Amino acid sequence: MNNLIKTKKSLGQHFLNSNWVLSYILNSAEINPKDIVVEIGPGRGKLTKELSKLAGSVKCVELDQELLSYLNTTFPENSNVEIIYGDARTIDISSLVYSNEYKLVANLPYYAAMPIIMRFVESHNSPKSIVVMVQDEVARNLTALPGKLSIPAVILQNFGVVTYVKRIPPSAFKPSPKIFSAIIKIELFDSPAIDNENQQMFFNLIKKGFASKRKKLYNNITKSFDIEKTVFQNILTKYNIDKDSRAETLTFDNWKNLYLSMKTNGYHSNV
């Protein structure tokens, strides 16, 4: 039955088929018998089976109706695995878990990886940690150091510490994708560095700072915000940020300090 289930390209399905990769995922997730684990896209249940041996409860969200039927047969109602039909990009997270005392573990479809990650980290009941497989290029982008930072990388650092765990070859999946994957781990803070009330404005500042890669941070910000150039220059000087810096070179703390200082000076976006 397992091998008779065909993968669906429309859902970006590549089923994990490697035990050594499973070990990396499980070791990184640090599952214990008291844990509630949410798994997105369990596929044929290879990871699910191992999670069920370690966790107190495993809640799987699956969008494929055919796989849903197969998983319900594989993991009966009296097991510690619950199979839930839904799209992780839109599902009501509070219907899955009632607090943030859970862990998210998954082999995510490439096309939906970032929307799913951001949906969970921004949720009011976000997980304690996230261990997921994503496209290798995305993983490197999210874990880049200052000098190569991107908007998603900076924004994720508002919620937790992001670590690159392991590069995974195409041969670890069936069917094999054309590109490498990677495991990343996000250890979430008890509360975001910038609270919910201020996040929209904070993220807007970051996006405006990255608006034109060819332009320096100073030019992007003073063009996009109603702030006097001398005021912004003084803020840069206060935090030892060079006027000629580009957005990708700033640390998260640089962005946080810029935002808080500009807020104090009553800035608002012109664009």
Side-chain angles (χ1 to χ4, degrees):
M1 174 68 177
N2 190 316
N3 293 323
L4 294 177
I5 299 175
K6 296 182 179 180
T7 56
K8 296 179 176 64
K9 288 185 177 180
S10 61
L11 296 178
Q13 292 176 340
H14 295 279
F15 298 131
L16 183 60
N17 196 47
S18 172
N19 290 328
W20 70 265
V21 176
L22 279 179
S23 296
Y24 268 101
I25 294 173
L26 296 170
N27 289 338
S28 299
E30 300 179 282
I31 307 298
N32 67 65
K34 294 182 179 180
D35 281 333
I36 298 172
V37 175
V38 172
E39 183 188 6
I40 306 300
R44 294 171 179 164
K46 189 174 181 70
L47 175 58
T48 313
K49 182 178 179 180
E50 299 307 314
L51 288 171
S52 69
K53 295 175 183 178
L54 300 172
S57 173
V58 183
K59 297 174 182 290
C60 301
V61 180
E62 179 55 61
L63 186 58
D64 186 332
Q65 291 279 14
E66 185 179 6
L67 282 172
L68 203 72
S69 299
Y70 169 74
L71 291 166
N72 277 320
T73 302
T74 305
F75 302 99
E77 287 186 9
N78 62 353
S79 74
N80 65 340
V81 177
E82 181 181 1
I83 310 299
I84 302 159
Y85 173 73
D87 187 333
R89 295 169 296 178
T90 57
I91 197 167
D92 179 10
I93 296 174
S94 62
S95 69
L96 300 174
V97 286
Y98 303 107
S99 70
N100 61 355
E101 292 300 311
Y102 71 99
K103 296 177 179 179
L104 175 64
V105 182
N107 170 28
L108 297 177
Y110 293 151
Y111 74 93
M114 281 310 299
I116 291 172
I117 291 171
M118 292 310 301
R119 180 165 176 78
F120 275 84
V121 299
E122 292 180 331
S123 170
H124 72 276
N125 54 341
S126 57
K128 293 187 292 186
S129 65
I130 296 174
V131 174
V132 289
M133 194 120 59
V134 296
Q135 186 176 340
D136 185 56
E137 183 180 355
V138 172
R140 293 184 184 279
N141 187 26
L142 295 179
T143 57
L145 298 174
K148 294 186 177 180
L149 285 177
S150 63
I151 293 172
V154 178
I155 288 177
L156 263 187
Q157 288 182 53
N158 186 60
F159 301 98
V161 178
V162 190
T163 307
Y164 186 100
V165 177
K166 184 69 176 178
R167 190 176 192 231
I168 307 300
S171 59
F173 304 90
K174 285 190 177 182
S176 298
K178 295 180 180 179
I179 56 178
F180 277 75
S181 302
I183 302 167
I184 62 169
K185 181 172 184 176
I186 307 171
E187 297 177 85
L188 281 88
F189 304 136
D190 291 336
S191 57
I194 298 293
D195 60 34
N196 293 340
E197 183 180 344
N198 287 282
Q199 279 174 20
Q200 184 175 354
M201 290 186 290
F202 178 51
F203 297 161
N204 183 50
L205 170 66
I206 296 168
K207 291 171 184 176
K208 297 299 184 185
F210 277 90
S212 177
K213 290 187 177 181
R214 294 184 178 182
K215 290 185 179 181
K216 297 168 184 176
L217 176 75
Y218 176 86
N219 295 327
N220 281 337
I221 297 299
T222 54
K223 178 183 177 181
S224 299
F225 293 91
D226 185 20
I227 185 170
E228 292 182 16
K229 292 185 176 182
T230 54
V231 172
F232 187 61
Q233 176 62 69
N234 289 337
I235 294 173
L236 292 176
T237 301
K238 178 180 179 181
Y239 294 109
N240 297 314
I241 302 172
D242 193 293
K243 182 180 178 181
D244 293 329
S245 297
R246 298 185 186 277
E248 62 268 22
T249 66
L250 270 64
T251 66
F252 178 82
D253 284 341
N254 287 154
W255 286 107
K256 179 181 176 181
N257 289 331
L258 283 180
Y259 170 72
L260 295 175
S261 293
M262 290 176 67
K263 180 184 177 185
T264 300
N265 280 278
Y267 82 88
H268 66 270
S269 175
N270 287 327
V271 181

